Amino acid sequence: MSTHITNDQNFDNDIYSQKIPVVVDFGAEWCGPCKQLDPILEEIAAENLEKIKVFKIDIDKNPVTPQKFGVRGIPTIMLFNNGKLVDTKVGSLPKSAIENWIKSSL
């Protein structure tokens, strides 16, 4: 698996310590669109191992981090670069749209 799991306790260290851009997927087990997004993000992570990291966080098990970032709907994906939040997208998107979003945001 090319995606990583993070949680409230490890979020800051997992995300802000990276030397490459990071995509964070905020989702939940019961969320249908989140499940559609999972294999897409897995593919993007696998195809860009040296260029980007993808982390997932379950909002039900980890309520602090989504609240901190104002997550109101899921799936929400956020792009971080150099320890800063660069952009946010809400909803399930096709792979090409996510790849274009990442490229245009960096």
Side-chain angles (χ1 to χ4, degrees):
M1 198 147 166
S2 301
T3 56
H4 307 277
I5 305 293
T6 190
N7 57 38
D8 284 342
Q9 291 75 31
N10 298 330
F11 186 88
D12 287 353
N13 188 51
D14 285 343
I15 306 314
Y16 300 126
S17 68
Q18 300 302 321
K19 303 290 184 231
I20 58 177
V22 176
V23 172
V24 180
D25 172 25
F26 292 83
E29 288 289 321
W30 50 265
C31 169
C34 300
K35 290 181 180 179
Q36 291 175 325
L37 193 58
D38 287 347
I40 295 169
L41 291 175
E42 181 64 35
E43 270 184 46
I44 290 171
E47 292 167 1
N48 297 282
L49 284 175
E50 303 298 317
K51 298 179 203 151
I52 197 160
K53 274 202 174 178
V54 177
F55 283 86
K56 300 178 63 53
I57 185 165
D58 185 313
I59 66 161
D60 290 332
K61 296 176 185 166
N62 302 283
V64 174
T65 304
Q67 183 178 15
K68 181 169 122 181
F69 287 101
V71 173
R72 300 208 190 316
I74 55 172
T76 291
I77 51 176
M78 295 185 177
L79 180 63
F80 292 82
N81 194 18
N82 295 322
K84 291 184 174 64
L85 177 60
V86 178
D87 201 6
T88 301
K89 290 279 184 196
V90 179
S92 187
L93 300 165
K95 183 179 178 188
S96 59
I98 296 171
E99 290 175 324
N100 290 337
W101 170 66
I102 292 168
K103 287 178 186 146
S104 69
S105 297
L106 296 177

